Amino acid sequence: MKAYNVLHIVNADSIIDNSRIVIKDNIIERIDKISKEKNGDTYYYAVPGFIDIHTHGGDGIDIMAGSYKAFSRIAEYNLKNGTTSFLGSTITAPIKEIESVLKNGREYLQINEEKSSRGKESSLLGFHLEGPWISRKNLGAQNKSYVIEADHGSLSFIKNYSDIIKMVTFSFHNKKAGELLQVLIKEKIIPACGHDETLDTDIVEGFKRGLNHITHIYSNTSSFQRKNGFKHLGTLEMALMTKGISIEVIADNRHITGYFWNFIIHNKSLDRKSVV
């Protein structure tokens, strides 16, 4: 049995101050209240393990490296920094290159399951494909040369790896994107809109059909625009005002300011946000 004095324990709904966490057989047995003067080592914060749904790597290694060694180093790095499980995010690249990552990733998941169960690595939950079915107008760091529309080959590719693809970021701005959404829903893969040029009228249709997540809102997400003389809202405004739609926020104090964060939480309930 081990005990740790902690000044601030972060729970799902509150922060508990000046407490002791008692652990038995690697499981938290209880949390006791203590005085500030209690002897022993004291830690400033204790927080639940983080779950990262959008990470491109770690420790200087890109998930696109696609090797067992790369996956292992990324998983070790994540665990050391408090992330207990994560989705490996690919980038907009040739389908063959993404497929190579997924093929090795599928095989590595079995190795990772054993290592994560022993506390050696963070758990690799599967993969998030960020493109290549995105818009050329809101690329961000994605490579325009590899942007494609969702053709028959793309849909077959997703079906072939639906056991390990957990989320796909795409732009919902044309009819072929509707076919992609249909496949994602059927395969129980999270459909996420991002790097897009979608208008309000289109994204509302997507929401009705099951599109339910927005990738890094305000970072290459469609916004106010004019078409045929009308001013339209974009994906980001519609996501903030539509119930049941979750959003990602890159809250690293570089992409957005504190005021921007306050604006987002003013318009979106906390249970529908993920911080990446």
Side-chain angles (χ1 to χ4, degrees), residues 64-83:
M64 294 299 293
S67 67
Y68 288 8
K69 184 177 180 180
F71 295 142
S72 183
R73 282 186 58 180
I74 292 168
E76 289 174 355
Y77 178 83
N78 272 286
L79 187 62
K80 288 177 182 178
N81 289 275
T83 298

Side-chain angles (χ1 to χ4, degrees), residues 104-150:
N104 287 342
R106 177 187 276 159
E107 296 171 355
Y108 187 75
L109 283 174
Q110 297 180 11
I111 300 172
N112 173 257
E113 183 177 4
E114 191 273 330
K115 287 187 175 182
S116 61
S117 68
R118 294 190 291 113
K120 300 296 183 181
E121 294 183 355
S122 177
S123 178
L124 177 57
L125 301 175
F127 292 87
H128 159 215
L129 309 189
E130 189 172 5
W133 310 282
I134 58 175
S135 162
R136 287 183 170 83
K137 292 184 178 180
N138 272 319
L139 285 167
Q142 306 295 324
N143 192 324
K144 179 173 63 176
S145 300
Y146 304 127
V147 172
I148 60 174
E149 291 189 3

Side-chain angles (χ1 to χ4, degrees), residues 199-200 203-204 207 233-242 245:
L199 294 176
D200 45 18
I203 199 64
V204 165
F207 291 162
L233 298 176
T235 294
L236 68 86
E237 292 88 11
M238 296 304 296
L240 289 178
M241 64 187 289
T242 304
I245 306 301

Side-chain angles (χ1 to χ4, degrees), residues 219-244:
S219 295
N220 300 293
T221 315
S222 67
S223 185
F224 293 104
Q225 53 193 293
R226 184 187 292 272
K227 184 176 181 179
N228 298 328
F230 287 93
K231 291 181 179 179
H232 290 263
L233 298 176
T235 294
L236 68 86
E237 292 88 11
M238 296 304 296
L240 289 178
M241 64 187 289
T242 304
K243 292 182 178 180

Side-chain angles (χ1 to χ4, degrees), residues 79-257:
L79 187 62
K80 288 177 182 178
N81 289 275
T83 298
T84 54
S85 55
F86 70 103
L87 290 180
S89 297
T90 62
I91 60 173
T92 294
I95 289 292
K96 287 293 184 182
E97 187 175 336
I98 298 173
E99 185 173 23
S100 177
V101 174
L102 295 182
K103 183 178 180 180
N104 287 342
R106 177 187 276 159
E107 296 171 355
Y108 187 75
L109 283 174
Q110 297 180 11
I111 300 172
N112 173 257
E113 183 177 4
E114 191 273 330
K115 287 187 175 182
S116 61
S117 68
R118 294 190 291 113
K120 300 296 183 181
E121 294 183 355
S122 177
S123 178
L124 177 57
L125 301 175
F127 292 87
H128 159 215
L129 309 189
E130 189 172 5
W133 310 282
I134 58 175
S135 162
R136 287 183 170 83
K137 292 184 178 180
N138 272 319
L139 285 167
Q142 306 295 324
N143 192 324
K144 179 173 63 176
S145 300
Y146 304 127
V147 172
I148 60 174
E149 291 189 3
D151 56 12
H152 178 73
S154 298
L155 304 183
S156 296
F157 164 68
I158 290 174
K159 292 176 183 177
N160 290 339
Y161 290 92
S162 60
D163 57 320
I164 60 171
I165 298 174
K166 304 301 179 182
M167 181 164 71
V168 172
T169 293
F170 66 106
S171 176
F172 191 77
H173 73 279
N174 58 38
K175 291 182 180 179
K176 290 187 177 181
E179 296 176 20
L180 174 57
L181 175 60
Q182 185 176 3
V183 169
L184 296 177
I185 296 295
K186 184 178 181 180
E187 300 296 335
K188 296 181 171 55
I189 297 170
I190 297 172
C193 190
H195 291 285
D196 72 303
E197 56 180 286
T198 318
L199 294 176
D200 45 18
T201 49
D202 295 323
I203 199 64
V204 165
E205 182 62 25
F207 291 162
K208 291 178 181 178
R209 294 174 58 182
L211 198 161
N212 58 11
H213 184 73
I214 307 302
T215 299
H216 46 51
I217 196 167
Y218 283 102
S219 295
N220 300 293
T221 315
S222 67
S223 185
F224 293 104
Q225 53 193 293
R226 184 187 292 272
K227 184 176 181 179
N228 298 328
F230 287 93
K231 291 181 179 179
H232 290 263
L233 298 176
T235 294
L236 68 86
E237 292 88 11
M238 296 304 296
L240 289 178
M241 64 187 289
T242 304
K243 292 182 178 180
I245 306 301
S246 61
I247 62 173
E248 281 178 22
V249 183
I250 308 179
D252 58 1
N253 207 31
R254 293 187 178 183
H255 286 74
I256 62 172
T257 66

